[in-house]
Amino acid sequence: MKYILVTGGVISGIGKGIIASSVGTILKSCGLHVTAIKIDPYINIDAGTFSPYEHGEVFVLDDGGEVDLDLGNYERFLDIRLTRDNNLTTGKIYQSVINKERRGDYLGKTVQVVPHITDAIQEWVMRQARISVDDDGVEPQVCVIELGGTVGDIESMPFIEAFRQFQFKVKRENFCNIHVSLIPQPNTTGEQKTKPTQNSVRELRGLGLSPDLIMCRCSTPLETAVKEKISMFCHVEPTQVICVQDVSSVYRVPLLLEDQGVVSYFCQRLNLPVGIRPRKMLEIVFLLLTLRKHVSIALVGKYTKLADSYTSVIKALEHSALAINHKLEVKYIDSADLEPTTLQDEPVKYHEAWQKLCSSQGVLVPGGFGVRGTEGKILAINWARKQNKPFLGVCLGMQLAVCEFARNVLGWEDANSTEFNPESEHPVVIDMPEHNPGQMGGTMRLGKRQTIFRSIPSVLSMYPSHINEAFLESLNLCLQFVGQDVEGERMEVIELEDHCYFVGVQYHPEFTSRPIKPSPPYFGLLLAAAGKLQSYLNKGCRLSPRGHSMPSHNSRR
């Protein structure tokens, strides 16, 4: 087993996740089996209770694990299936060590950070690295480990110490360290500054880890003199200083690394059995460069101030737009800005939001929690339904589509979800029986599950809360519940008759979307927005001239 540790310096959010994913991608393209582990030094057990504004979206895995969004990058880049144990947190480590202590596993010894916590970290990594993440069940050969945060953070110290010991346990030829650092370029001088990187590497080496590759994040390509200066002060060869400048698409990053000899370095440094290297990302990058037509989608949500809150949603839209040869334009709309109260308080913001919505070719209402902005989402859904605009509602978006239909078609003015109005006379959306309102973490219906399509015509039959069955007969007037869970108790998919594309799904299909295998509900939305859906259906679910077939259907909660 070969281990590649990715650390970061100077600032957090520097791009370690994309670089770790890109390293894994180019090694996998060489024929190697690659897995990935993300380490988050926070004390939380998992990411399930995080605010999207603080850490971005919570990514959900097949086994129901709620994890950091970087694991979504790993799955999309590497096309692998990870488990909740591929996301290691301080909380998980301390919980496992304390449980052992309570059972008496340490035989009365004083339990300390060194060696007990550091040993637990190493054992977790070695155990998880050997679990297959591919469909063929083969044990991985390379494990890419991303250490979250920044070198020098007090909470990451036990992990740094663990890997200082780990490099000797697994031997030098099986372990290497990539350090990602920032090269700032102040506008006042335009000069690329190396001092932050020098200080970061010095601190890392002082903690016992010496980087094998220094990947420099910069806004423009690294100058030769700057690269040589970093080489001199950071104790590496110039060829070990890799430039990762800002690029138009994250899918360019693997090619950027490969062009600078990263694969050759790993072959020599880790003695990897590398074969032919097909550049799988090359086709995607080429397509991105040649796209001329645009398609615009209005994303109506409540966390639109931070794009990372909807990372998987945006990626699913991008994958689908790429499949139909269009360049994606996402128009972010804060749903609260569509509400009448905003017209009174901030009329300019209100009219700008509605102008964005009305100028879009399709509407997407993603998942979310809480009552804020829900009325604005319902107004957007109402507009899409009446204007015959392509619409996709995911999770809460589907539930609000049912509420909108009940209010404005059936005339049930107070129709709502019990999450927002427990006293409603028409609670068309009710809490799931599994939901535990007294506990926040891990209480939803999570993970990969089956959806059964009913034997009625459906555009989707190509490939936490639930609807109240007491109102199904009335709702089925022309809002068809075409998909249910295997027990037939939960309504999972809705479609509206006589509409170009009006679909709602209770699950989160964006979590299974891949660059060359887009998610079917998102794919349908983009086809409809581009005016290609009917042609696609008439041709037997194939596109011309590239001949894509309809992607397979998987779903996660």
Side-chain angles (χ1 to χ4, degrees):
M1 175 64 67
K2 310 295 182 180
Y3 300 91
I4 300 173
L5 175 66
V6 180
T7 57
V10 185
I11 60 171
S12 60
I14 200 170
K16 297 188 299 296
I18 296 298
I19 287 174
S21 301
S22 300
V23 167
T25 298
I26 57 178
L27 292 177
K28 186 168 183 177
S29 72
C30 297
L32 299 169
H33 285 80
V34 181
T35 186
I37 293 174
K38 172 67 189 295
I39 296 175
D40 288 303
Y42 45 67
I43 297 176
N44 305 60
I45 298 296
D46 60 31
T49 56
F50 280 150
S51 163
Y53 281 134
E54 189 163 333
H55 279 271
E57 76 167 9
V58 177
F59 192 79
V60 181
L61 302 170
D62 278 357
D63 66 354
E66 297 173 287
V67 296
D68 186 86
L69 60 83
D70 279 317
L71 276 82
N73 286 325
Y74 304 157
E75 287 207 346
R76 283 186 290 269
F77 270 78
L78 298 167
D79 195 16
I80 55 179
R81 301 290 185 197
L82 301 173
T83 68
R84 66 181 73 224
D85 286 342
N86 286 87
N87 191 192
L88 177 56
T89 70
T90 297
K92 286 182 180 178
I93 284 293
Y94 273 81
Q95 187 179 61
S96 68
V97 170
I98 289 169
N99 288 341
K100 284 184 176 180
E101 188 274 332
R102 292 289 83 187
R103 290 197 306 265
D105 292 2
Y106 296 116
L107 301 175
K109 290 182 179 178
T110 302
V111 180
Q112 298 175 295
V113 173
V114 181
H116 301 99
I117 295 295
T118 53
D119 283 352
I121 293 168
Q122 295 173 61
E123 289 164 8
W124 190 301
V125 168
M126 294 181 76
R127 180 177 65 251
Q128 196 61 30
R130 300 192 177 278
I131 294 176
S132 175
V133 292
D134 293 303
D135 293 335
D136 57 14
V138 175
E139 183 178 300
Q141 298 163 282
V142 179
C143 178
V144 180
I145 307 158
E146 178 192 348
L147 177 57
T150 307
V151 169
D153 293 345
I154 191 167
E155 57 263 31
S156 65
M157 288 300 183
F159 294 99
I160 295 286
E161 172 59 23
F163 285 107
R164 184 196 67 78
Q165 301 171 20
F166 190 71
Q167 63 186 330
F168 301 110
K169 180 180 291 186
V170 299
K171 307 302 179 187
R172 173 177 163 77
E173 63 271 17
N174 297 320
F175 178 90
C176 76
N177 174 212
I178 297 173
H179 188 63
V180 185
S181 187
L182 178 68
I183 304 295
Q185 194 168 358
N187 292 331
T188 50
T189 62
E191 181 185 358
Q192 293 178 328
K193 297 294 186 180
T194 65
K195 190 63 70 177
T197 296
Q198 293 179 41
N199 292 337
S200 178
V201 172
R202 185 183 301 113
E203 182 158 17
L204 182 64
R205 293 182 67 199
L207 294 170
L209 286 174
S210 186
D212 297 281
L213 290 175
I214 300 174
M215 296 203 176
C216 301
R217 290 283 294 110
C218 42
S219 54
T220 57
L222 211 59
E223 297 168 9
T224 303
V226 173
K227 184 178 283 194
E228 290 173 349
K229 188 174 182 180
I230 293 170
S231 165
M232 180 172 62
F233 283 101
C234 296
H235 199 64
V236 293
E237 293 281 348
T239 54
Q240 293 170 256
V241 181
I242 308 297
C243 170
V244 188
Q245 74 266 25
D246 294 345
V247 288
S248 58
S249 168
V250 294
Y251 300 117
R252 286 172 172 258
V253 179
L255 302 179
L256 196 63
L257 300 185
E258 191 173 7
D259 288 341
Q260 296 178 74
V262 169
V263 173
S264 300
Y265 178 80
F266 282 138
C267 290
Q268 170 262 322
R269 173 69 177 75
L270 296 175
N271 193 26
L272 291 173
V274 167
I276 300 172
R277 301 200 296 270
R279 302 179 73 172
K280 294 182 180 180
M281 287 291 173
L282 194 58
E283 181 188 357
I284 296 174
V285 173
F286 175 75
L287 288 172
L288 289 169
L289 292 173
T290 56
L291 297 179
R292 295 290 178 264
K293 295 180 180 179
H294 287 71
V295 59
S296 60
I297 300 295
L299 192 156
V300 183
K302 62 185 291 187
Y303 311 116
T304 52
K305 292 178 183 176
L306 181 66
D308 274 358
S309 301
Y310 299 110
T311 296
S312 293
V313 168
I314 301 304
K315 295 302 179 187
L317 290 171
E318 288 177 352
H319 301 162
S320 297
L322 185 64
I324 62 170
N325 286 321
H326 279 60
K327 185 174 287 187
L328 176 69
E329 179 189 1
V330 178
K331 298 184 178 183
Y332 294 95
I333 301 173
D334 189 322
S335 55
D337 293 347
L338 299 171
E339 297 175 358
T341 52
T342 305
L343 176 60
Q344 296 175 357
D345 301 335
E346 299 178 86
V348 173
K349 185 180 286 188
Y350 174 84
H351 290 296
E352 285 178 348
W354 275 101
Q355 193 277 329
K356 282 184 183 179
L357 181 66
C358 295
S359 62
S360 299
Q361 294 166 265
V363 180
L364 170 65
V365 178
F369 293 93
V371 70
R372 183 180 69 81
T374 54
E375 293 303 317
K377 293 177 182 179
I378 289 176
L379 289 169
I381 294 166
N382 176 262
W383 179 84
R385 180 177 61 81
K386 287 184 175 179
Q387 298 298 319
N388 197 32
K389 284 284 185 180
F391 165 78
L392 174 62
V394 176
C395 195
L396 178 62
M398 170 196 165
Q399 298 166 21
L400 294 180
V402 174
C403 294
E404 189 280 327
F405 184 86
R407 290 181 187 183
N408 299 308
V409 177
L410 302 181
W412 300 344
E413 293 184 3
D414 76 328
N416 214 325
S417 166
T418 54
E419 179 184 353
F420 310 129
N421 181 12
E423 307 303 321
S424 171
E425 292 183 10
H426 297 91
V428 292
V429 180
I430 58 177
D431 285 337
M432 296 184 298
E434 306 96 321
H435 181 60
N436 177 6
Q439 186 170 329
M440 294 291 286
T443 60
M444 294 186 295
R445 191 166 177 262
L446 300 165
K448 187 175 181 180
R449 299 173 188 269
Q450 275 190 316
T451 293
I452 308 299
F453 283 97
R454 296 169 60 195
S455 57
I456 57 176
S458 163
V459 71
L460 281 190
S461 61
M462 302 176 295
Y463 65 83
S465 299
H466 67 282
I467 307 304
N468 192 343
E469 294 186 41
F471 298 100
L472 275 183
E473 188 175 344
S474 299
L475 289 167
N476 262 321
L477 182 66
C478 61
L479 187 69
Q480 297 292 330
F481 292 88
V482 299
Q484 303 175 348
D485 69 347
V486 291
E487 292 87 12
E489 296 175 350
R490 297 171 179 80
M491 304 303 110
E492 303 281 9
V493 184
I494 62 167
E495 289 181 20
L496 185 65
E497 290 181 350
D498 302 321
H499 194 284
C500 67
Y501 188 84
F502 191 98
V503 171
V505 293
Q506 178 58 52
Y507 51 88
H508 286 266
E510 64 269 19
F511 291 144
T512 58
S513 184
R514 300 289 183 267
I516 55 175
K517 291 184 289 185
S519 162
Y522 286 90
F523 189 54
L525 175 67
L526 268 293
L527 282 170
K532 294 184 175 186
L533 180 58
Q534 201 55 51
S535 170
Y536 178 81
L537 296 174
N538 293 339
K539 290 177 181 177
C541 299
R542 302 196 75 83
L543 285 174
S544 296
R546 288 163 55 202
H548 277 137
S549 59
M550 188 66 183
S552 60
H553 179 76
N554 278 312
S555 65
R556 287 187 194 168
R557 299 300 184 268

